[in-house]
Structure formats: C-alpha cells, structure tokens
Amino acid sequence: MRSRWLVVVALLAAVVRVGNDAQRLLGNPTRYWNWEESYNAAVGYYAWTAGLWDQLLRLQQKSFCGGCTVVGLLAAPSLGMFGDHLWAWKLVPLAWTVATLFVGAGALKALVGDAAALAWLVLFAVPPPGVSELGLMAWGNHAESTIFVLGALWATARQRYGIAAFLLGFGVWFCRTSAYAALVLVPLLSVRGGRAGAVRTLGGVALGLLDRKSTRLNSSHLVISYAVFCLKKK
C-alpha cells in the first residue's frame, strides 16, 4: 500500500513541477532560450526533415557533449511534426525533468526507503527557482546528466552492477560531470559488488572518456559494445 501511495505522490509531484515550469516558460519564453541550444535543436530538426540519422554523431556540436546529440535526437519527433517552435523543443527538458523525478525516487526508495523517496519528491516538485530554470534548458550536459547517476545508484541498490556500470559509463559520454560520481560509486560498488563491480564501473567510465581521444562515432560503438557485455554479466 505504501508503494502505491508513493506512486500517487510521484504523479502529483510531476504535475506540480511541470505545471510550474510551464508557467515560467509561458511567462517569459525568451528567458529560457539559449543560443547553444539552437545547435542541438537544429540537429534534431534536420535529422527528421532531411533524414540525416546516420550523421547524428558527426553533427555533434562539440566534444565531450554526447548529451547534445541525445537531446537533439529526442526532440526530433516533436520538431519534425510541430515545426521549429520553442514549445516543441522545450518538451524535451520537461519530459527529462519528469524522468529524473521518477528515477531519483526509485533510487532513494531502493537505497534508503520510502521516507527518503518522499522527501525527494517534495523537494523536486517545488525546487528553488534556479533549479527550475536550469531544468528548462536543453543543453544536454551537466543538469541532465543527473539521471544517469541516479540510475546507477538504483541499479547498485538492486545489485545490478553491470547496468550500474553501463549507466555511469554512458553518463560520462553524455557529459563529463558524471565522471565525478565515479569517485563515490566505485568504492560503493567495490563494497557491494566486489572487485568485479568496481572493474566494470571503471571500464564504463574509461569508455565514456574515450570520446576525447577517438572519433565520436567509434567511441559510441565502444560504449554500445560495453553495454552488451555489462548486461550479459549482470
């Protein structure tokens, strides 16, 4: 029963957060638009309208920003169907916020318990203005990378160490901010998953960092291959 109530609270928290964020966006649209986002939006728009799906990684606007490609790809359907409108683009950060809310609640419930998950939902539903404003920007980097760390924590709590390693490695490819989480997660996985858990986590982080030394396309293939390995070993 408590889990059912937690789901209800999570849904209410999502409605409150999205409603407040949407109100901010409607009240001052230009405040929540940054020139750097336009590169990511353009990738998604032209991938849909010109069929440039095989060029997504090559169109990545800068190094160490796999997230730039990811948010552009996620926005492709809405931009393609509704046109290059601000609202079509901002559906991505709104959806990302909701996903982060649920993943964070799941991670805290698994690691600590219902009370921690409930506290997360309340704080996430009514965050400080700066957090809300940052969540409305689809840069594809620091703020969004939180979801991969939370996912890795959830997987660790569930003893799915291979999935944790993949999520953290993909998070590093998404944005370098996730690499800082390795300082905490590697010791945690060493305790919970033994040497194998730590090695897989370090392997995931290392492959995420390979994007700095090789082409983005080759690095992505390595990350995908490592994902298959982790999932088989989970």
Side-chain angles (χ1 to χ4, degrees), residues 145-160:
S145 65
T146 304
I147 194 171
F148 300 106
V149 177
L150 292 170
L153 287 171
W154 172 86
T156 300
R158 296 292 184 181
Q159 298 183 349
R160 302 297 182 90

Side-chain angles (χ1 to χ4, degrees), residues 1-15 102 121:
M1 181 63 70
R2 294 176 65 183
S3 294
R4 291 182 181 178
W5 275 110
L6 199 61
V7 171
V8 172
V9 173
L11 291 172
L12 290 174
V15 171
F102 279 98
L121 291 171

Side-chain angles (χ1 to χ4, degrees), residues 65-88:
C65 193
C68 297
T69 300
V70 172
V71 295
L73 176 62
L74 291 176
S78 59
L79 290 171
M81 290 186 289
F82 304 123
D84 54 344
H85 301 294
L86 181 63
W87 263 103

Side-chain angles (χ1 to χ4, degrees), residues 8-222:
V8 172
V9 173
L11 291 172
L12 290 174
V15 171
V16 171
R17 176 64 185 270
V18 171
N20 287 336
D21 286 357
Q23 186 178 23
R24 287 179 182 274
L25 184 59
L26 280 172
N28 190 1
T30 56
R31 177 181 175 84
Y32 304 103
W33 171 253
N34 180 268
W35 62 269
E36 194 172 337
E37 287 182 284
S38 63
Y39 292 115
N40 305 334
V43 169
Y45 180 73
Y46 287 113
W48 185 276
T49 57
L52 300 178
W53 302 105
D54 59 333
Q55 299 298 317
L56 281 174
L57 293 169
R58 299 186 187 279
L59 290 172
Q60 190 180 115
Q61 58 154 312
K62 60 182 179 181
S63 62
F64 226 135
C65 193
C68 297
T69 300
V70 172
V71 295
L73 176 62
L74 291 176
S78 59
L79 290 171
M81 290 186 289
F82 304 123
D84 54 344
H85 301 294
L86 181 63
W87 263 103
W89 170 247
K90 290 301 180 180
L91 288 175
V92 171
L94 289 173
W96 199 280
T97 294
V98 172
T100 303
L101 181 146
F102 279 98
V103 173
L108 285 170
K109 175 179 170 57
L111 281 169
V112 184
D114 289 346
L118 181 61
W120 162 268
L121 291 171
V122 172
L123 292 171
F124 207 84
V126 285
V131 174
S132 177
E133 293 176 7
L134 187 61
L136 282 168
M137 308 303 290
W139 283 310
N141 50 35
H142 309 294
E144 294 98 327
S145 65
T146 304
I147 194 171
F148 300 106
V149 177
L150 292 170
L153 287 171
W154 172 86
T156 300
R158 296 292 184 181
Q159 298 183 349
R160 302 297 182 90
Y161 305 118
I163 294 176
F166 166 64
L167 287 173
L168 190 57
F170 188 81
V172 172
W173 177 82
F174 186 95
C175 177
R176 63 184 179 274
T177 306
S178 300
Y180 303 132
L183 298 174
V184 176
L185 285 179
V186 170
L188 179 62
L189 281 170
S190 297
V191 173
R192 287 179 172 256
R195 183 181 300 174
V199 169
R200 290 177 196 169
T201 304
L202 287 172
V205 174
L207 284 170
L209 290 169
L210 278 180
D211 191 38
R212 316 285 68 78
K213 298 297 184 182
S214 62
T215 65
R216 300 182 181 93
L217 191 60
N218 289 336
S219 172
S220 301
H221 286 168
L222 286 170

